[in-house]
Amino acid sequence: MAANESISIFSSASLAVEYVDSLLPENPLQEPFKNAWNYMLNNYTKFQIATWGSLIVHEVLYFSFCLPGFLFQFIPYMKKYKIQKDKPETWENQWKCFKVLLFNHFCIQLPLICGTYYFTEYFSIPYDWETMPRWYMLLARCFGCAVIEDTWHYFLHRLLHHKRIYKYIHKIHHEFQAPFGMEAEYAHPLETIILGTGFFIGIMLLCDHVILLWAWVTVRLIETIDVHSGYDIPLNPLNLIPFYAGSRHHDFHHMNFIGNYASTFTWWDRIFGTDSQFNAYNEKMKKVEKKTE
């Protein structure tokens, strides 16, 4: 009975979204995107698309999303939004981070990306335009992937902070006490694999088209670079998402090496009380800000 009710609710929600979608004006970018997608399918093999296409998407998006935060350090106006104002970015740290990123991206992540093609072949994941899901279905599946990844990340991240193993693996990611966007994937190779597994679990469970791979990569990179940015921007649209952790939440974790273990949402930290120190810190900072007004 409960299962039937759930199916009925989801069906009604899906119909409602489809109705709203039908009222929206036609997307002017859809036709150019369709032409570009079909050009890609006609000129490249599935292996090239799944492997080199995924690598290019990751690299271009990663450093593009890092660019605003990188530029903020040169804009005096943005300094008031930096969370740890006493720890500015340095060229030395950013160059060191960049070199480790190149190693991780091409020596650790690329071999994993090479398995994408075989995954899509084994599970018969389509590439064609005709079976590409609508935007709202992509969004829903990306949200599902985010919930799954966040759950995996919370428990495995918390485990990596165990005193017996912290110094061997996760300590590298905490080398910079004041995070910056490019540091999001600065980690020990084992950590890249351990925490990165959470990214692939959602794909294995929810993927129904290769476009989801790239959509989920986009969403995940936006989120992880945002929380590592070191800046708390008031008009950040991501802060409108219910239970979204945000940069201040994760910055506290880097500043104190404890608590706030989740990657995207706040509910696991609330459930297990691992955000108690952060909440006390927030209250203290609010009182300080009121006094300085």
Side-chain angles (χ1 to χ4, degrees):
M1 180 67 72
N4 290 334
E5 288 180 359
S6 298
I7 292 172
S8 177
I9 291 171
F10 283 121
S11 297
S12 299
S14 179
L15 289 172
V17 173
E18 286 182 16
Y19 174 71
V20 171
D21 182 55
S22 68
L23 299 177
L24 296 175
E26 186 175 347
N27 185 354
L29 299 176
Q30 182 171 328
E31 195 62 28
F33 180 61
K34 178 182 178 181
N35 293 335
W37 189 268
N38 286 328
Y39 176 85
M40 178 183 71
L41 293 178
N42 293 331
N43 290 275
Y44 299 97
T45 65
K46 287 184 177 181
F47 178 82
Q48 290 173 324
I49 294 169
T51 305
W52 304 118
S54 296
L55 178 66
I56 291 170
V57 166
H58 180 273
E59 295 306 300
V60 170
L61 291 179
Y62 188 86
F63 290 106
S64 296
F65 294 152
C66 286
L67 185 60
F70 175 77
L71 295 176
F72 287 167
Q73 65 187 306
F74 306 113
I75 305 174
Y77 177 79
M78 298 305 297
K79 289 182 180 178
K80 67 180 180 179
Y81 298 122
K82 185 167 175 59
I83 300 168
Q84 297 187 55
K85 294 179 175 61
D86 59 329
K87 297 182 178 69
E89 299 91 335
T90 66
W91 284 107
E92 181 184 0
N93 285 346
Q94 290 173 102
W95 176 241
K96 182 179 182 180
C97 178
F98 181 71
K99 290 187 289 185
V100 172
L101 282 179
L102 291 182
F103 174 81
N104 282 350
H105 286 183
F106 291 97
C107 298
I108 307 298
Q109 294 183 15
L110 179 56
L112 296 174
I113 290 173
C114 286
T116 303
Y117 166 74
Y118 301 100
F119 165 76
T120 59
E121 286 296 292
Y122 184 82
F123 290 100
S124 301
I125 305 297
Y127 288 64
D128 60 294
W129 175 265
E130 287 70 26
T131 59
M132 188 181 293
R134 297 287 293 171
W135 63 269
Y136 48 84
M137 292 305 299
L138 267 180
L139 196 62
R141 289 177 183 273
C142 283
F143 176 73
C145 287
V147 171
I148 293 168
E149 190 282 331
D150 183 69
T151 301
W152 176 271
H153 191 101
Y154 176 84
F155 292 103
L156 272 294
H157 182 196
R158 190 172 178 180
L159 178 64
L160 289 176
H161 272 269
H162 192 281
K163 61 183 180 180
R164 291 187 178 180
I165 58 177
Y166 172 78
K167 64 180 179 179
Y168 299 111
I169 302 176
H170 192 52
K171 186 178 180 180
I172 291 178
H173 183 67
H174 278 277
E175 187 173 332
F176 308 123
Q177 194 172 359
F180 47 91
M182 193 166 57
E183 192 220 356
E185 293 185 349
Y186 179 86
H188 189 285
L190 277 177
E191 179 175 341
T192 299
I193 295 171
I194 293 169
L195 295 185
T197 299
F199 174 89
F200 292 104
I201 294 175
I203 289 294
M204 293 179 69
L205 296 175
L206 301 174
C207 190
D208 61 347
H209 194 280
V210 73
I211 192 65
L212 180 65
L213 290 166
W214 295 353
W216 171 222
V217 164
T218 303
V219 170
R220 178 67 179 125
L221 288 181
I222 290 173
E223 178 277 325
T224 190
I225 291 169
D226 175 59
V227 301
H228 284 92
S229 68
Y231 290 84
D232 186 20
I233 310 299
L235 299 179
N236 186 345
L238 294 177
N239 292 331
L240 298 175
I241 300 172
F243 302 104
Y244 180 66
S247 57
R248 191 172 288 277
H249 185 271
H250 194 68
D251 204 280
F252 179 86
H253 175 78
H254 275 263
M255 185 166 48
N256 296 277
F257 309 105
I258 191 170
N260 294 6
Y261 298 109
S263 60
T264 306
F265 304 108
T266 57
W267 48 60
W268 287 117
D269 283 296
R270 289 184 182 182
I271 290 171
F272 290 100
T274 46
D275 63 349
S276 56
Q277 291 188 31
F278 171 66
N279 293 333
Y281 169 79
N282 254 355
E283 289 300 318
K284 180 181 176 182
M285 292 306 295
K286 286 178 182 178
K287 290 178 181 177
V288 172
E289 288 172 2
K290 284 183 179 179
K291 289 181 179 180
T292 56
E293 285 179 354

